Amino acid sequence: DGISHIDYVNVLQLVCIVSGYASLCSLLALGFMMMLSKSLLHATLIFSIGVSLAWTVLGWAFSPGYILPITGVVALALSSSYTFVVWDRIPFATTNLGVALKGMRSTLDIPIVGLCVLMITFLWTIWWICAFVGTFNFLHDDEELSNDWMSVVVVFFFFSYYWTFQVIKGISQTMVASIIGKWWDMSEEDALPLCSSVLYGSASRTIVRSFGSICLGSLIVGPCIVLTRISIFFRLAKPKLNKLTNSPKRLSGVELENEKCDPGCLPILTSCAPQNDGIISRNVNQWSYTYIGLYGYTFWESGSRAAQLFEARGWTHVVSDDLIMTAMFMSSMIIGCTTACLGLIVAEMDGFSFTSLNKPISTAFLICLFLGFFLSCAFLSIIEGSVSAILVCYAAAPVDFHANHHKLSEEMKSAWKHFWLQKPIVNNNGR
């Protein structure tokens, strides 16, 4: 039998209890990232493997069904394979992340943006739950409404949550990009005051002038980024598989040129990477929000200008590296899983009943997993916005960065040169 009734009060009580925990975990995660930026990516990848392994073992030991252990096995396989593929790129990504976190530490405006986004996401979730539960209970009492129409209503409700959540993240990343752009042009002796005019200016431009562009981007950027990351993973996995099988791959002329890029010409690379290779879409890409925040372009123009900038530098493959974003996703998943475990404990101790299916444990687990993941994603979007802004600014104005933040500039230059030196040069004979 399907669900015929959802209990308002119990669901809201559980949401309010675990929301505080998820918010606290997100704040602590940001604090750990600030302190342990050099070992953060290593720790995140290894910890995700450990959590997946524990999930699998506990699922086989205590779960009456096969859903939990199977999901644990899938998560373990994915996290292990991804870690194997990207492990040698961690030092390069760590430097980019370290510079982004340094920019975030220069002002409290960015953490304030994160807290506001976290609060807005929580309020939106409460509002959505009230609307969803009320509509569901009301329509279910209507005997003339078929189950097919009920399914349509449920799909639209979840779509509305996803789109609004993406809009909130887009606003966060756009505002952060604007603040990072200001920091980029400041010397290390200068500091942005708390709640500076930059914060108010970025908020007004984002919400008043660029809101339509962000709404449009929030609808289509997410799926495009997912497809791009899948493409990147297989592109990175291919040479690793060739090494394991001891079968060197004969490179084409374009690929050979890409492998032979001169690491010493990093600031002025112009044509080392293949052009229009589909890794970064011409108009829809993750840099659109950054360009909106930095320059105020429309969504379509922002994506196009970002793609042109990286293609002109020859950095298309380099900046498409998704390791940092994946680490943020894994961190959110870990917070979501621990929030789900807390939800199980609360539901078991208080005897909550949520639906007419009388499966409080499963329902509490799904609600808390959903809530913890999305709250954490919303808050950690400030890191994603900072990293994206750093890469765009480094491509557009490396001289300003060297003049204003000399030490950080040298660190990035060294890491990027080392990244290019690591790329093996393979000749047409496969040697």
Side-chain angles (χ1 to χ4, degrees):
D1 295 334
I3 300 173
S4 61
H5 180 76
I6 301 176
D7 193 306
Y8 260 114
V9 177
N10 288 344
V11 171
L12 290 178
Q13 283 182 349
L14 180 65
V15 166
C16 292
I17 291 172
V18 300
S19 292
Y21 170 81
S23 301
L24 179 61
C25 286
S26 300
L27 291 170
L28 291 176
L30 178 61
F32 281 120
M33 291 175 187
M34 292 287 191
M35 294 185 295
L36 306 173
S37 60
K38 293 188 180 299
S39 56
L40 172 64
L41 297 179
H42 295 89
T44 301
L45 293 174
I46 294 174
F47 189 67
S48 65
I49 294 175
V51 170
S52 302
L53 180 61
W55 189 280
T56 304
V57 173
L58 293 176
W60 284 116
F62 300 105
S63 176
Y66 294 100
I67 296 179
L68 288 182
I70 290 177
T71 55
V73 170
V74 172
L76 179 61
L78 291 176
S79 58
S80 300
S81 58
Y82 183 81
T83 300
F84 171 75
V85 169
V86 304
W87 189 261
D88 56 349
R89 302 172 69 93
I90 290 179
F92 170 73
T94 296
T95 302
N96 297 332
L97 177 61
V99 174
L101 293 175
K102 178 66 175 179
M104 292 175 60
R105 282 196 296 267
S106 66
T107 173
L108 290 176
D109 285 352
I110 295 179
I112 287 175
V113 172
L115 290 174
C116 292
V117 166
L118 188 63
M119 180 60 66
I120 293 171
T121 304
F122 170 73
L123 294 176
W124 162 240
T125 302
I126 295 293
W127 181 276
W128 182 86
I129 288 174
C130 291
F132 175 75
V133 173
T135 304
F136 184 91
N137 290 341
F138 174 78
L139 293 179
H140 197 277
D141 293 336
D142 188 354
E143 298 180 355
E144 297 180 358
L145 187 68
S146 66
N147 290 332
D148 293 336
W149 280 109
M150 179 66 78
S151 301
V152 172
V153 171
V154 171
V155 169
F156 270 101
F157 261 98
F158 278 95
F159 174 74
S160 70
Y161 186 90
Y162 166 79
W163 192 2
T164 305
F165 172 76
Q166 291 295 333
V167 170
I168 295 172
K169 281 187 62 179
I171 291 174
S172 169
Q173 294 179 26
T174 303
M175 291 181 62
V176 168
S178 180
I179 297 172
I180 290 293
K182 180 64 177 179
W183 169 79
W184 194 267
D185 296 328
M186 296 170 51
S187 65
E188 294 191 359
E189 291 75 20
D190 299 329
L192 287 173
L194 180 64
C195 297
S196 64
S197 59
V198 178
L199 176 62
Y200 294 114
S202 64
S204 62
R205 287 195 305 271
T206 300
I207 298 174
V208 176
R209 294 174 51 188
S210 303
F211 187 71
S213 293
I214 293 173
C215 290
L216 174 61
S218 301
L219 183 62
I220 57 181
V221 165
C224 291
I225 290 178
V226 171
L227 295 176
T228 299
R229 290 180 179 177
I230 294 174
S231 171
I232 292 170
F233 175 78
F234 284 110
R235 174 170 60 83
L236 295 177
K238 204 168 186 179
K240 295 293 182 77
L241 293 176
N242 290 334
K243 288 182 180 180
L244 289 177
T245 56
N246 295 320
S247 57
K249 174 182 174 291
R250 183 184 298 272
L251 296 181
S252 65
V254 175
E255 291 173 323
L256 187 59
E257 279 300 311
N258 190 35
E259 296 294 339
K260 290 182 178 180
C261 288
D262 179 10
C265 65
L266 184 61
I268 54 172
L269 286 171
T270 55
S271 61
C272 285
Q275 307 295 308
N276 301 318
D277 59 356
I279 297 299
I280 293 182
S281 174
R282 170 61 57 183
N283 295 107
V284 182
N285 55 66
Q286 67 194 75
W287 316 106
S288 300
Y289 296 135
T290 304
Y291 253 73
I292 292 173
L294 290 173
Y295 307 113
Y297 295 127
T298 63
F299 171 75
W300 293 109
E301 190 177 7
S302 296
S304 177
R305 286 179 178 270
Q308 292 173 10
L309 172 66
F310 291 126
E311 287 173 359
R313 288 287 187 184
W315 294 358
T316 303
H317 282 298
V318 179
V319 299
S320 296
D321 183 88
D322 66 336
L323 177 54
I324 298 174
M325 307 308 172
T326 304
M328 296 302 106
F329 174 82
M330 289 180 174
S331 300
S332 297
M333 283 299 301
I334 292 171
I335 294 175
C337 291
T338 58
T339 305
C341 293
L342 176 64
L344 294 179
I345 297 173
V346 172
E348 187 68 24
M349 292 180 61
D350 293 346
F352 284 153
S353 177
F354 304 103
T355 67
S356 57
L357 288 179
N358 294 320
K359 294 183 177 180
I361 300 300
S362 301
T363 307
F365 177 85
L366 293 175
I367 291 174
C368 296
L369 178 66
F370 172 89
L371 185 67
F373 174 76
F374 279 99
L375 286 179
S376 176
C377 274
F379 183 73
L380 295 181
S381 65
I382 61 175
I383 298 180
E384 297 181 13
S386 296
V387 173
S388 297
I390 289 295
L391 294 176
V392 169
C393 289
Y394 192 54
V399 176
D400 295 341
F401 186 53
H402 186 78
N404 296 323
H405 308 277
H406 180 74
K407 183 178 179 181
L408 293 176
S409 175
E410 291 298 322
E411 289 180 7
M412 282 195 71
K413 192 180 299 183
S414 174
W416 283 53
K417 286 182 179 179
H418 181 70
F419 171 78
W420 285 96
L421 285 170
Q422 276 188 322
K423 296 168 74 66
I425 300 177
V426 182
N427 61 29
N428 286 329
N429 294 325
R431 289 179 282 182

